[in-house]
Amino acid sequence: MRGAESLEITPRDGEALLIDPRYFHAVRRSGGARRVALGFAVGVASSGQLVTWA
């Protein structure tokens, strides 16, 4: 997207990235390395704890 702000993140082995799907994003090919993708929802409870659901 011309003129859009961008950020490139290169995770290390064992790290996980959480991407807010409301924002436009792209994920590059893994280049042969193993990649696991999960889809789920995350929220913050009134106690401050993260909660997840599918």
Side-chain angles (χ1 to χ4, degrees), residues 6-44:
S6 67
L7 172 68
E8 184 173 327
I9 301 171
T10 305
R12 293 182 288 222
D13 287 348
E15 291 185 328
L17 298 177
L18 300 179
I19 300 171
D20 186 339
R22 295 178 298 172
Y23 298 104
F24 182 78
H25 65 279
V27 178
R28 291 188 178 156
R29 293 180 62 126
S30 64
R34 182 174 174 218
R35 175 184 288 161
V36 176
L38 303 171
F40 57 94
V42 177
V44 181

